[in-house]
Each structure stands twice: as structure tokens, then as C-alpha cells.
Amino acid sequence: MPAEQLTVQDLSESELLARIFPRLNHSPGVLLGPGDDAALIAAPDGRTLISIDTQTQDQDFRLDWNNGYQTSGYDVGWKAAAQNLSDINAMGGSATSLVVSLTMPPVTPVEWVEAFADGLTAAIIALGAPDCSVAGGDLGRGRELAVTVAVVGTLDGLAPVLRSGAKPGDTIAVAGTLGRAAAGWALLESDIRMDSLSSELRGLVESQCRPVPPLAAGPAAARVGATAMLDISDGLLRDASRLAGASDVVLDFDPVALKVHALPLEPAAARLGVDAMPWVLGGGEDHGLLATFPAGIQLPQGFTAIGSVQAVVEPPGSGVRIAGQAADTVGWDHFAD
Amino acid sequence: MPAEQLTVQDLSESELLARIFPRLNHSPGVLLGPGDDAALIAAPDGRTLISIDTQTQDQDFRLDWNNGYQTSGYDVGWKAAAQNLSDINAMGGSATSLVVSLTMPPVTPVEWVEAFADGLTAAIIALGAPDCSVAGGDLGRGRELAVTVAVVGTLDGLAPVLRSGAKPGDTIAVAGTLGRAAAGWALLESDIRMDSLSSELRGLVESQCRPVPPLAAGPAAARVGATAMLDISDGLLRDASRLAGASDVVLDFDPVALKVHALPLEPAAARLGVDAMPWVLGGGEDHGLLATFPAGIQLPQGFTAIGSVQAVVEPPGSGVRIAGQAADTVGWDHFAD
């Protein structure tokens, strides 16, 4: 019989915080960290970006997946950080701090919470945001696990890159991967046991549980004059439709370029007996970037061209085309907004 | 039979947002509001305060109280704003924006969400923070209602007032009410039906459901040189113990000054057959301020003296005394940390 596991109800809030704080990194932009009623963060250019995002158990992640994988605290911490860092990246900014609210059932193991803190820190470092740290937070009880992160960031004097600036003639480009997290989700939900997966297919599961948004790409895009940008969080076509609507343009994707993204997903698709392309077009949790650039400029490192922006000449529908055909007439209408 | 009530599952996210946005106020410090991946907020002195706070159904509020009162969306919105504005107030700052994440069961009435947005806006205006507005947010599903607000604010060039600066000889003062929200909670949990309460006692319930933190008092305290300050969110003695520990001092409260706060609660205490003083000492949700000031200075408007700071001369225990007696020897030890 294993030793009784320590759970959060066995500790006071200050005891639990004492286990969390040493696991967090520290950055000089946090002028005043945890311990007072609010933290104080440097905002060197006199402005601060802010975004907020919640992940709730059984809505945004499962603790126990069909294929036997168990989501760890580390996974949840990593993903919470990654999602939020991506929102700042998508504006062309760099994150300076996170504040984290963690709501937990009283029976949550203390080890889970420690792994959660480790996952937050690991993501911040591994994704390339070491100047960002956790500046504060809130712990509370609930019937289900829920994590809310608010992130603040700096544009370092640049203008924010909005969704609304794409112009006809612009080049459409993406940074980061497309469809890997969706393929990972399909594997997690399948009957193929986790321990029977190849390391390549396990990598897809990792993309779902610990996504790797391309954090250098956002500020690089802003510096070269990207005209519009967003984080692909709900799927390429759906997010493209939002950008098209905000910019009043049509985004026309190149099927050959799309195919390049589907190719590495073929082994997983074959294993599951499905088509890889819907993952590329509909999967969002890789947290790549979709951006538009003036035609002819050299795309910043990490971006590859994937289509072109066109003027609206007829009722635009979703505003998204593939090789000139409305995306919702080529079989993927359930991905359109 | 009443008409079928519209619930959030009947609307798309963008339809729901379209019902929320017109109910929010706008402020010039929000340079870029909802609609992109992050909002952009002015931080005029090159720093930004930030705090985060979650309220979860059945943990932080009940939807249906024992006395028949039903918590409205308006109440939850008001309280979420008030709690967070208070955290900025407690640092000596002024809030410039909120980002709000709302997690809801799919059967939540759309009307509830609209009332929630109205409550956020009403609190911002009524509490005296019209330069603050909701800059962004996140909507999601969960099994229980949960609201997380992150608030950012400015110190307007002042130093933040920490918990750790109290010095022996300082005057202890409070701003705002003490014990009203706790008395309201006791009424809500009692068998005395809501509709049989006098307007005075209903006012106590309102203090619980729609607290009124003294928002002008925090920056005023910072301007005159308050040495330490915090938001009384968990009860006077408990929060005083935190300030005492952070400052390495003892806080000695004047029982006569405490009695002044208990007096207006006597009618409710008599109705319930209890003592009012525990509400004053242990009730936190009024979100008043506890601050220390150098002796002899004129307290800013809204503050009244309630004791004095003393040096630690023996093992300090909770660090809190009443008329020189350790607070945990005068019958309120369950309020100490």
C-alpha cells in the first residue's frame, strides 16, 4: 500500500505558496513580485499589452485520455504559459510577466501543483521568454481544475500588429507548425495505446499537451512591417476568416503550401485511417502565427509564404479561399466561422 | 408556462460578445480594446500594477442563499470588479483596466451574462474608477460558474505602499467599513427571509453582495506617506497579522475604536442573537483598507485611527494585540492566521 499522498487540503495557503515560489523563475522586469496586493511590472515604453485565458478541466484538457495518457500538472502549467505567451507574440510583443489563478478540488495532490509550477517555468524558459516571470497569483477551491493566466507584455516602442491591417496584394505567411496539436488530440482520443506509439507520433501528442509557439516570430514580424497578424488558436481557416473579416479582404491559400504542412502528419493519419489535411486547416492548438506582409519584402525568419491577400469582389463568405475556391465549397465548411 | 429562456449554448461566442460589449464602459487609457489577441493599456509612469482574483460558485458565492436571496449576475460582476479594484487601491494605485474571464455552464441564461456585464460597469462607475474599463476577456464553458478578473493600474509616479513598511510608533488606521459584509453573510445564511429584513439589514446584505471599497483612500494614503497598507479581504485580525509579520512589528488595536465599528451592526447581531464584534474582527469582504501612518500626520480623508504600531519585545504570536493583550487570548483566536 503506497504512503498516503499529500493533497492541497492538508496544507494552508501559505504552506502551499512556500512550495510553489521556489519553482518560479525571476526576471528584472518584475519590480515587485508576489506578497503584496498587486505586483508591479516595468512598462518601459509607457504601454502594456494584456490578455487573459482560462483552461478548464474536461473543456480544454482531459486529465485522463482515451489512449491511457494522463495529463500532468507540468503539461497544464506549460500549456497555460504557452497559450498566453502566444497572445502577446501575436501582437508583435514580448511577455514581461504572468499572473496565475489556480482553482483546484481539495483532493488535488500537492505534487500536481508543484509540477504545475515547474511546467509554467519550463515553458517560459524553453519557449524563449526568460525575461518573463510569474509576478503573482491566486489559489482557490472548486469542483473542477481551472487555470487562468493573465499575461502582460511590451511592444518595445513598436506599433501593435492588429488583425485589421491586411491589404490586397499582401503575402500570407505562417510561423510555427500547423495541425500537429490536432493530430496529437486525435491520437489521445483514439484506442491506440500511448505506449505503442512511435517517438514521431508521441511528438504529436506532446504538441497537443505542451505546444511550442514560435515566440521570436511575432516581434520579428512587427519589426519588418507585418500588416496583420493573429495567433492560430482555433484553426487556420477559422482564424483566417477572422483576419479577413477584420481587414475586409479575402485570404487565398496555396494548396501546394498547405500540402507541405500535411505531409509530416501522414504517418499519424495513416495509423488512424483518416486524412491529414483537416488537421492542417482546422487544428489550432499549435499556436502558430498567421500574418500578412507587404508583397516583395523578405519574410522574417520562421515565416513561410502560404498564399496571398485579395480584394473582396463578391460576397466574401468566410473570406477564405483555397486556390481561388471558397474554402467552404471544398469540403471543410465545418471549420469556417 | 414562461417563454423558453435563452441560454449561452443558444448563441455563438461572437453573438454573446455582441451582447456584452455595448454594456461595458470605455476609457481613454485603453489604447486598444477587445478584438485582437491582447489589449494595449497606457502605463504613463513606465510601470504597471497587476493583480488577479477568481470567484468560484459555491466557494466564494452561493447562487441560492438560505434566506431566499438569489445572487444575480449583476452582483457577481459588481463584486468581481470591486475585489480587484481594491487590490490596486491597497497599493496606493488607480485601476486603468480589467480583463475578465467568465466560465459558465452551457445552461447559464444570456440575461445573467448581460447583468454580469452591467454589474462590472456599474461598480467601476459607482466606486469612482471611471478611467478604468474592461479591455478584454475570455468566455468558456465549465461545470460551475467562475469569474477571474485581472486588473492593471497605475501609481502615477508614486512608490507602491507595501505591507512591510510599518514602524513602531506609527498610527494604525482603517478606511471603509468593517464587518458589514460579514453581517450580511450571516443574514444570507440565516432562516430570516430576505423579504422580512428592514432596509438597514438589507443594506448589510448589499455590503456582502456588492461591496464598496473606498477607492479614493488608497492613493490618498500613498500621497501622505502611508508606511504600510493592505486590503482587508480576510478579516481585520488576520490581515493585520500579515502586515505585522511582513513589517516585523506588533499592531495594537484600541478596543474603543473597534467598538465604534461594532455599534452599527448591533441591530443585525440582536436579530440573529449573536455578538457583533467577531464580524468587525473577522469579516473581510467589505474590502476596506488597513494602513499605518507616521505618528502625528493628519490622516487622509476616509481614514480613522484604530491603534498604534509597537516594537516586537517578546515572541509576537500573531503580531496583533487589543489593548496590549494578545488578540488570541481575548477570545478571537479562530480569526488569527
Side-chain angles (χ1 to χ4, degrees):
Chain A
M1 189 176 154
E4 199 71 24
Q5 193 172 32
L6 197 69
T7 62
V8 296
Q9 64 196 334
D10 301 322
L11 299 181
S12 71
E13 186 172 352
S14 53
E15 287 168 337
L16 193 53
L17 290 173
R19 286 168 176 257
I20 293 174
F21 287 158
R23 295 166 183 274
L24 304 176
N25 67 322
H26 300 279
S27 64
V30 175
L31 306 174
L32 176 70
D36 275 278
D37 289 314
L40 187 64
I41 314 296
D45 74 359
R47 302 169 302 167
T48 189
L49 289 163
I50 184 163
S51 182
I52 191 167
D53 216 50
T54 297
Q55 289 183 77
T56 303
Q57 168 187 343
D58 300 330
Q59 300 291 330
D60 301 289
F61 61 90
R62 298 193 204 289
L63 286 176
D64 295 291
W65 293 86
N66 192 58
N67 80 337
Y69 185 78
Q70 293 189 304
T71 298
S72 64
Y74 187 93
D75 291 340
V76 175
W78 179 296
K79 194 164 179 173
Q83 277 186 348
N84 280 275
L85 292 169
S86 180
D87 282 324
I88 298 299
N89 193 39
M91 303 300 290
S94 305
T96 49
S97 79
L98 310 177
V99 288
V100 180
S101 180
L102 180 59
T103 301
M104 301 169 284
V107 297
T108 305
V110 170
E111 255 182 22
W112 194 96
V113 181
E114 293 174 337
F116 170 79
D118 288 343
L120 282 172
T121 301
I124 287 170
I125 304 297
L127 298 175
D131 292 340
C132 176
S133 64
V134 176
D138 186 30
L139 294 173
R141 290 185 174 196
R143 274 179 292 172
E144 55 196 352
L145 267 167
V147 182
T148 303
V149 175
V151 57
V152 301
T154 178
L155 285 162
D156 285 325
L158 293 171
V161 185
L162 310 186
R163 299 179 175 192
S164 53
K167 297 274 177 293
D170 284 354
T171 298
I172 309 172
V174 291
T177 59
L178 289 175
R180 285 182 57 88
W185 189 87
L187 288 166
L188 285 163
E189 288 283 73
S190 78
D191 292 326
I192 307 171
R193 301 296 297 173
M194 188 69 191
D195 48 24
S196 77
L197 294 180
S198 66
S199 67
E200 183 182 1
L201 267 49
R202 279 171 174 269
L204 298 175
V205 169
E206 275 175 28
S207 293
Q208 168 61 227
C209 298
R210 299 193 289 280
V212 183
L215 291 195
R223 281 193 298 271
V224 304
T227 51
M229 186 155 63
L230 51 58
D231 163 34
I232 305 170
S233 55
D234 291 332
L236 178 64
L237 295 192
R238 190 169 179 139
D239 286 313
S241 174
R242 291 174 176 150
L243 193 152
S247 295
D248 195 23
V249 296
V250 166
L251 299 196
D252 192 24
F253 288 98
D254 171 4
V256 177
L258 291 172
K259 191 75 193 163
V260 168
H261 288 272
L263 213 59
L265 305 177
E266 293 296 353
R271 184 83 187 262
L272 291 166
V274 300
D275 183 12
M277 188 54 84
W279 292 334
V280 173
L281 299 178
E285 294 184 289
D286 296 48
H287 293 287
L289 294 178
L290 173 66
T292 56
F293 296 90
I297 72 160
Q298 190 178 341
L299 296 178
Q301 196 174 0
F303 281 94
T304 55
I306 197 169
S308 62
V309 180
Q310 298 179 1
V312 176
V313 290
E314 56 190 293
S318 70
V320 180
R321 305 265 190 280
I322 297 176
Q325 301 294 305
D328 55 2
T329 65
V330 289
W332 298 296
D333 65 331
H334 52 299
F335 297 115
D337 202 342
Chain B
M1 187 177 155
E4 199 71 27
Q5 193 171 31
L6 198 68
T7 63
V8 297
Q9 65 195 333
D10 301 322
L11 298 182
S12 70
E13 185 173 351
S14 53
E15 287 169 335
L16 193 52
L17 289 173
R19 286 168 175 257
I20 293 174
F21 287 158
R23 295 167 183 274
L24 304 176
N25 67 320
H26 300 278
S27 62
V30 175
L31 306 174
L32 176 69
D36 275 278
D37 289 313
L40 188 63
I41 314 297
D45 72 0
R47 302 170 301 167
T48 188
L49 290 163
I50 183 162
S51 182
I52 191 167
D53 215 51
T54 297
Q55 289 182 77
T56 303
Q57 167 188 345
D58 300 331
Q59 301 291 330
D60 301 289
F61 61 91
R62 298 192 203 291
L63 286 175
D64 295 291
W65 294 86
N66 191 58
N67 80 337
Y69 185 77
Q70 294 189 304
T71 299
S72 65
Y74 187 93
D75 291 340
V76 175
W78 180 295
K79 193 165 180 173
Q83 276 187 347
N84 280 276
L85 292 169
S86 179
D87 282 325
I88 298 300
N89 193 38
M91 303 300 290
S94 306
T96 48
S97 78
L98 309 177
V99 289
V100 181
S101 181
L102 180 58
T103 301
M104 301 169 282
V107 297
T108 305
V110 170
E111 255 182 22
W112 193 96
V113 181
E114 293 174 337
F116 170 79
D118 288 342
L120 282 173
T121 301
I124 287 170
I125 304 298
L127 298 175
D131 291 340
C132 176
S133 65
V134 176
D138 186 29
L139 294 173
R141 289 186 177 199
R143 275 180 291 173
E144 55 196 351
L145 266 168
V147 181
T148 303
V149 174
V151 56
V152 301
T154 179
L155 284 162
D156 286 325
L158 293 172
V161 185
L162 311 186
R163 298 178 177 193
S164 53
K167 298 274 178 290
D170 284 354
T171 299
I172 310 171
V174 291
T177 58
L178 290 175
R180 285 181 57 89
W185 189 86
L187 288 165
L188 285 162
E189 289 284 71
S190 78
D191 292 327
I192 307 171
R193 302 295 297 173
M194 188 67 190
D195 49 22
S196 76
L197 295 180
S198 66
S199 67
E200 183 182 2
L201 267 49
R202 279 171 173 268
L204 298 175
V205 169
E206 275 176 28
S207 293
Q208 167 61 228
C209 298
R210 299 194 289 281
V212 182
L215 291 194
R223 281 193 298 270
V224 303
T227 52
M229 187 155 61
L230 50 58
D231 164 34
I232 305 169
S233 54
D234 291 331
L236 178 65
L237 294 192
R238 192 170 179 137
D239 286 314
S241 174
R242 291 173 177 150
L243 192 151
S247 295
D248 194 22
V249 295
V250 166
L251 299 196
D252 190 25
F253 288 97
D254 172 3
V256 176
L258 291 171
K259 191 76 194 162
V260 168
H261 287 273
L263 211 60
L265 306 176
E266 293 296 354
R271 183 83 188 260
L272 291 166
V274 299
D275 183 11
M277 188 54 83
W279 292 334
V280 172
L281 300 178
E285 294 185 289
D286 295 48
H287 293 286
L289 294 177
L290 173 67
T292 56
F293 296 90
I297 73 161
Q298 189 178 342
L299 296 179
Q301 195 173 2
F303 281 94
T304 55
I306 197 169
S308 62
V309 181
Q310 300 179 359
V312 176
V313 288
E314 55 189 294
S318 71
V320 180
R321 305 264 190 282
I322 297 177
Q325 302 294 305
D328 53 4
T329 67
V330 289
W332 299 297
D333 65 330
H334 54 297
F335 297 115
D337 202 340

